[in-house]
């Protein structure tokens, strides 16, 4: 019996050891599997956290696109900005170069194209409307000026003439405003058949502003402007003079000087105003240089056409305009209109002959027949056109009130400018 028990014990012992080993092996494998699963779970948690962060970044970037970048882009397009990155950059640099970045750039580009197209269509519609109105009103103004000219040529009642002269002057200012509007909408300002003396060109500009009496013009200049450029230069001078007069005290002068340079002529306009802040001067330089195109849809409720008009004329005809404060003789602003020699011309032969005649000698009868209407100063201080030689003389005028030398010089510039401008300009080409 004991032997059987011993034999059974000998048989069972190995089986128990084997079972224990097997259990240990399985347990080890289970532990390794559990460890791997734990690592996978941790990795999965980390991946999930990373994905949540990426989604949060993309959501924030989408909000930045909708709330900041798109509005900035639309605003830049409406203001005519040429900056290709006006909408700014991504808020999160980690997205640079990613599909999200490319998708946002695509959206911005499509919006830019659509906004620019809409802006161009609106600008074209505005220009067409302004052009149509300008042409219709301009035709009426030219008709009015023709009627006034006819009245001044035939009427001899002094009281009537004194009443008509301010209307004539106001009509000249209105015509100038319409010409500038026409220039901004693509119209040509007009052309002269012949060249004109530079002083007559300057006086023509003086005659088209309200405060012409404050302008002091040089007495002499031997230079002539080629016919094609006379009317554009007259308009540019008038706008710069008007700007100088409006931005300085009514009691101060606006002085014009002419400087001959190696490559051309500079017309300098000095006012005695308060000057220009740096940002205003910078904007004025952009407009006068023609680098900033005038867009009618962006001028705002109080539009300013003058500098835009001068810049458009300068770019189209090849002269330059600028403003500065450092060289103003009166402490205000100096505006300079620079005319290259290509815009100048030699005096006509008839003018050379007339210039060789002493100033105190009367012109020959043949030459007098072709001279523009002469002017006298009325008691109210305004110039009055007189009859051309050969016509019936007007009744004797009343004694005019004394006029100061400065006022007389300004009035002389005004009346001579009116005569020159109306003698040479062709109305039919001014309206085209």
């Amino acid at each position: 019996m004991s032997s059987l028990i011993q034999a059974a014990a000998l048989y069972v012992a190995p089986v128990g050891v084997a079972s224990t080993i097997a259990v240990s092996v399985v347990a080890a494998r289970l532990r390794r599997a559990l460890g791997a699963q734990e690592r996978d779970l941790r990795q999965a948690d980390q991946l999930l956290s990373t994905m949540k962060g990426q989604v949060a970044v993309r959501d924030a970037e989408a909000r930045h696109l909708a709330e900041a970048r798109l509005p900035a882009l639309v605003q830049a397009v409406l203001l005519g900005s040429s900056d290709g990155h006006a909408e700014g950059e991504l808020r999160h640099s980690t997205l640079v170069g990613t599909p999200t970045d490319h998708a946002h750039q695509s959206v911005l580009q499509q919006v830019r194209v659509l906004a620019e197209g809409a802006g161009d269509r609106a600008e074209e519609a505005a220009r067409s409307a302004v052009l149509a109105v300008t042409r219709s009103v301009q035709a009426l103004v030219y008709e009015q000026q023709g009627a006034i000219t006819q009245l001044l040529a035939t009427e001899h009642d002094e009281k009537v003439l004194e009443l008509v002269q301010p209307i004539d002057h106001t009509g000249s200012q209105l015509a100038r405003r319409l010409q500038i509007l026409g220039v901004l909408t693509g119209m040509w300002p007009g052309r002269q058949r012949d060249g004109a003396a530079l002083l007559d060109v300057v006086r023509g500009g003086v005659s088209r502003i309200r405060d012409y009496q404050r302008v002091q013009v040089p007495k002499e200049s031997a230079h002539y402007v080629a016919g094609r450029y006379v009317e554009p230069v007259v308009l540019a001078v008038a706008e710069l003079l008007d700007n100088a007069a409006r931005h300085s005290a009514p009691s101060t002068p606006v002085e014009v000087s002419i400087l001959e340079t190696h490559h051309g002529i500079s017309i300098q306009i000095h006012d005695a105003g308060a000057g220009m802040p740096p940002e205003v001067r910078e904007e004025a330089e952009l407009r006068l240089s023609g680098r900033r195109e005038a867009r009618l849809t962006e001028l705002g409720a109080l539009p300013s056409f003058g500098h835009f008009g001068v810049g458009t004329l300068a770019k189209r005809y090849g002269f330059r305009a600028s403003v500065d404060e450092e060289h103003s003789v009166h402490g205000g602003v100096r505006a300079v209109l620079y005319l290259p020699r290509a815009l100048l011309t030699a005096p006509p032969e008839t003018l050379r002959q007339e210039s060789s005649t002493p100033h105190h000698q009367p012109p020959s009868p043949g030459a007098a027949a072709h001279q523009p209407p002469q002017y006298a100063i009325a008691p109210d201080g305004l110039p009055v056109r007189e009859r051309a030689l050969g016509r019936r003389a007007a009744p004797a005028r009343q004694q005019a009130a004394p006029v100061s030398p400065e006022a007389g010089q300004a009035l002389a510039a005004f009346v001579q400018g009116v005569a020159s401008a109306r003698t040479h300009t062709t109305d039919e080409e001014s309206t085209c």
Side-chain angles (χ1 to χ4, degrees), residues 7 76 132 187 278 317 339 344 346 348 386 397:
M187 294 172 60
Y317 289 96
L339 310 180
L344 306 178
E386 297 180 333
R397 298 182 184 273

Side-chain angles (χ1 to χ4, degrees), residues 150 157 200 266 334 357 421:
Q150 181 66 21
D157 189 324
D200 286 341
S266 289
R334 181 187 72 160
T357 304

Side-chain angles (χ1 to χ4, degrees), residues 105-250:
Q105 290 296 332
S106 177
V107 170
L108 291 168
Q109 180 61 25
Q110 293 179 55
V111 171
R112 178 185 290 274
V113 172
L114 292 174
E116 289 178 348
D120 291 341
R121 289 190 296 272
E123 179 67 19
E124 183 178 355
R127 284 177 180 270
S128 298
V130 172
L131 179 60
V133 173
T134 299
R135 281 178 170 170
S136 62
V137 177
Q138 195 175 53
L140 294 174
V141 170
Y142 287 144
E143 183 177 345
Q144 180 192 54
Q145 286 187 312
I148 292 174
T149 300
Q150 181 66 21
L151 177 63
L152 292 173
T154 58
E155 180 60 49
H156 303 295
D157 189 324
E158 290 299 310
K159 293 183 178 179
V160 173
L161 295 177
E162 290 176 3
L163 292 174
V164 171
Q165 285 297 328
I167 301 175
D168 190 24
H169 182 211
T170 304
S172 297
Q173 297 176 70
L174 179 58
R176 186 199 91 223
R177 299 285 181 88
L178 290 172
Q179 280 183 287
I180 287 296
L181 271 178
V183 167
L184 295 179
T185 56
M187 294 172 60
W188 295 96
R191 187 182 66 183
Q192 293 196 196
R193 291 190 175 94
D194 301 319
L198 181 60
L199 278 184
D200 286 341
V201 171
V202 173
R203 289 165 181 154
V206 175
S207 71
R208 301 187 190 186
I209 71 170
R210 183 184 61 182
D211 298 321
Y212 65 91
Q213 293 175 319
R214 295 168 51 195
V215 181
Q216 300 175 0
V217 180
K219 296 180 180 180
E220 296 180 357
S221 175
H223 302 285
Y224 283 75
V225 180
R228 179 174 183 267
Y229 307 102
V230 170
E231 189 65 13
V233 175
V234 168
L235 275 178
V237 169
E239 289 299 326
L240 294 177
L241 284 171
D242 184 65
N243 191 70
R246 285 189 294 106
H247 290 87
S248 56

Side-chain angles (χ1 to χ4, degrees), residues 232-296:
V233 175
V234 168
L235 275 178
V237 169
E239 289 299 326
L240 294 177
L241 284 171
D242 184 65
N243 191 70
R246 285 189 294 106
H247 290 87
S248 56
S251 59
T252 60
V254 176
E255 182 178 335
V256 180
S257 61
I258 297 174
L259 176 65
E260 181 175 3
T261 67
H262 182 74
H263 296 291
I265 298 296
S266 289
I267 303 172
Q268 303 183 12
I269 299 171
H270 302 263
D271 67 49
M276 304 173 72
E279 63 276 7
V280 175
R281 186 170 63 252
E282 182 179 354
E283 177 65 21
E285 286 288 349
L286 288 175
R287 296 182 178 187
L288 290 172
S289 66
R291 297 195 303 271
R292 175 160 294 176
E293 180 184 3
R295 294 178 65 87
L296 300 180

Side-chain angles (χ1 to χ4, degrees), residues 23 64 69 103 158 302 326:
V23 171
H64 180 58
R69 302 185 73 188
E158 290 299 310
L302 298 174
E326 297 178 357

